[in-house]
Amino acid sequence: MFATELVIFDCDGVLVDSETIVCRVLAEEMNKLGMEATAEELDEQFSGRPAKDCLLEIETRYGGPLPDHYFGNTERRIREAFHHELQPIAGIEDLLDHLLQVSLRSCVASSGSHEKMQLTLNKTGLFEYFNGRIFSADDVRRGKPWPDLFLHAAHTMGVEPHRCLVVEDSIAGVKAAVAAGMPVVGYSRHPVRAPQLEREGARVVSDLMAVMDYL
């Protein structure tokens, strides 16, 4: 096995516990427009994918462009929920501290926007761990499940893909890492998703500290 020189973290669901909040609000706002949806369904369908791709699917289900008030209501409610509810994923600070202790570099490569990551990482106290090393799907032409974002992050950090270790929680993210030629650890607290991540090529853990076993 090649020595790991860079750990690339997804953000939502790996660093911050944001996906449950976002999917809950999206489902509630979609139901208001007559589109039946549950948070669990949206989490399964949209996890790890760029926001623009998710929006296209919602508009397809709606049958055309969404009303202007949908965007305002959704963004306002998500921000309010982040302010009151958002927490770092259990164990992530211990893992990041360990990486600092052993001088192993890390970065973030997420489907979320830079603006969203600045909000969520600052709110949870994780921003300083990654300041200057945050990459978004907005930086590349194709987001996950394409490999572009991970390859962009590795190239910018000056590390060969096979010397990176990706930590992901979504099917799209695992597919992107495998396509980039990077080993990937799939983090899952959900028994249903764990075998799905494994089938796509991830080594699955339910405790973030177990990532150290694969460095």
Side-chain angles (χ1 to χ4, degrees), residues 96-190:
L96 294 175
D97 285 338
H98 173 77
L99 297 182
L100 289 174
Q101 290 169 9
V102 299
S103 300
L104 185 54
R105 291 191 292 166
S106 63
C107 67
V108 182
S110 170
S111 294
S113 66
H114 283 286
E115 180 185 12
K116 179 185 174 185
M117 283 188 279
Q118 185 161 359
L119 170 65
T120 59
L121 293 175
N122 271 308
K123 177 67 177 63
T124 53
L126 300 178
F127 184 81
E128 290 306 318
Y129 283 102
F130 300 105
N131 191 6
R133 306 185 314 282
I134 298 175
F135 304 96
S136 164
D138 293 342
D139 302 333
V140 295
R141 186 171 67 87
R142 304 178 302 180
K144 304 171 188 178
W146 300 99
D148 305 33
L149 178 57
F150 288 137
L151 292 173
H152 169 64
H155 177 74
T156 304
M157 297 292 291
V159 179
E160 293 293 325
H162 63 268
R163 295 190 182 275
C164 299
L165 178 70
V166 174
V167 184
E168 265 286 354
D169 73 315
S170 71
I171 301 298
V174 170
K175 287 182 175 180
V178 171
M182 300 177 180
V184 53
V185 173
Y187 170 65
S188 176
R189 295 169 291 173
H190 308 294

Side-chain angles (χ1 to χ4, degrees), residues 17-18 21 24-25 76-88 119-120 123-124:
D17 198 7
S18 54
I21 295 173
R24 184 189 75 225
V25 173
R76 174 183 54 79
R77 291 193 57 208
I78 288 174
R79 285 180 175 271
E80 288 176 353
F82 280 172
H83 178 72
H84 294 292
E85 303 174 38
L86 190 63
Q87 297 290 330
L119 170 65
T120 59
K123 177 67 177 63
T124 53

Side-chain angles (χ1 to χ4, degrees), residues 175-205:
K175 287 182 175 180
V178 171
M182 300 177 180
V184 53
V185 173
Y187 170 65
S188 176
R189 295 169 291 173
H190 308 294
V192 173
R193 184 172 295 178
Q196 297 173 335
L197 297 174
E198 196 167 39
R199 282 196 296 270
E200 296 298 338
R203 293 164 288 185
V204 178
V205 300

Side-chain angles (χ1 to χ4, degrees), residues 7-28:
V7 182
I8 304 178
F9 291 94
D10 179 40
C11 185
D12 300 302
V14 172
L15 301 179
V16 298
D17 198 7
S18 54
E19 290 184 329
T20 53
I21 295 173
V22 171
C23 290
R24 184 189 75 225
V25 173
L26 283 178
E28 290 170 356

Side-chain angles (χ1 to χ4, degrees), residues 32-76:
K32 290 178 183 178
L33 295 179
M35 295 179 281
E36 292 186 7
T38 66
E40 294 75 17
E41 170 203 349
L42 297 184
D43 181 55
E44 185 69 25
Q45 186 176 6
F46 295 154
S47 177
R49 298 175 57 194
K52 59 185 178 182
D53 292 352
C54 302
L55 175 60
L56 284 173
E57 292 203 17
I58 294 174
E59 288 186 325
T60 298
R61 189 183 303 192
Y62 185 65
L66 294 164
D68 290 340
H69 66 78
Y70 173 85
F71 300 98
N73 289 346
T74 301
E75 183 175 356
R76 174 183 54 79

